[in-house]
Amino acid sequence: MRDPYSILGVKRDARHEEIKAAWRTKAKTVHPDANRDDPDASARFAEIGQAYDLLKDPKKRDLYDQARRAAEKKQRGETIMQQREAAREAAERAKAAEKLMEELARADARNRAQTGQKTDAKAETAEDIVERIFGAEAQNDPKVQQAAEAAKAAAGAAKSDIPGAGDDRTAPASLAANLFSALVRRFRTQQPAAEKAPDITAEATVTVADLLEHRWITVSLADEREVRFQLEAGMSDGHVVRLKGQGLKLPNMARGDLAVTLLTAREDAFSLRGFDIHTTLPISLSDAVLGCETKVATPLGEENITIPAWSGSDRVLRLTGKGLTDGKGGQGDLVIELRIVLLEKPDEKVTDLMRHMREGLYL
């Protein structure tokens, strides 16, 4: 996402009223209905809405401003920090190399002394040197073991390639170069994790059938990206899906997250209350009084139900386990609310019956 201040054309210290006014003006100008010939109108309109959504919320705006300032400060000091880090690493390398070379020289002298005396003492290997310098734990590290093996191979190659190297004088230098590179990388101080950019929000309209069948949903963002994710058990109306690393991208900062709020389609015949699915079933007056067998529509087809006799409009029927899964092994119900409806045209017999019942007259 681009800078929200530049999108709305306001200063960074603009008040809420200025931001709101700029958003209204921009929204009217780029609204898709007023720019039917512009294929990019919808994307620009969405970008403006997303920028306003970020700046109208004081908390989100403050987080964004802090992240932007930190990024700018970090970028300005990047060159100086790189120079300091390079100098520190160079000093570290020099110190480690000096120590390693001293130890290798001593090891080489001991090995020569043992060879000249023809004793049965075992010569000190690269593994012994690593353990003595850095401790036994380092010897068990696969990376250190690989470095020692590489050092021994390099030392052997140096001995065979250089004329007159039968006394193995080049081996310590070659061993030092290889061990030094691997060990300095291993013991170097870990850099702190990069700061995270602010999250951005979006909304996704879904149907109850989408949630029941765990379908894939596509969300279009203002920066012309499309993000897809799959609905899962435990999601319902108002659930917020957090997509890691799909949010705002700022220089020298870890990418933020995208928080998508699920909204069930209002024109759908079904609504959600938690994990229960609610629907209404119109019935005639005679069916309400006498009861009947009928069918009710569900998001995934029709179900047979029995309406008990003398069921009023306040009667609620439940089909257990026909709702959404809650993600914890349970499942909601399909809740059916009865609605008594009259015939389209007045019926004289029903009218007379109701009149007699109200006035207490019986034939």
Side-chain angles (χ1 to χ4, degrees), residues 175-195:
L175 181 61
N178 285 277
L179 282 177
F180 152 73
S181 299
L183 294 176
V184 168
R185 285 195 301 269
R186 179 180 183 271
F187 292 102
R188 181 178 296 164
T189 305
Q190 295 292 328
Q191 296 297 322
E195 294 183 53

Side-chain angles (χ1 to χ4, degrees), residues 54 56-64:
L54 177 62
K56 74 177 181 180
D57 188 325
K59 292 183 178 179
K60 292 181 182 179
R61 181 181 180 183
D62 185 56
L63 284 173
Y64 174 80

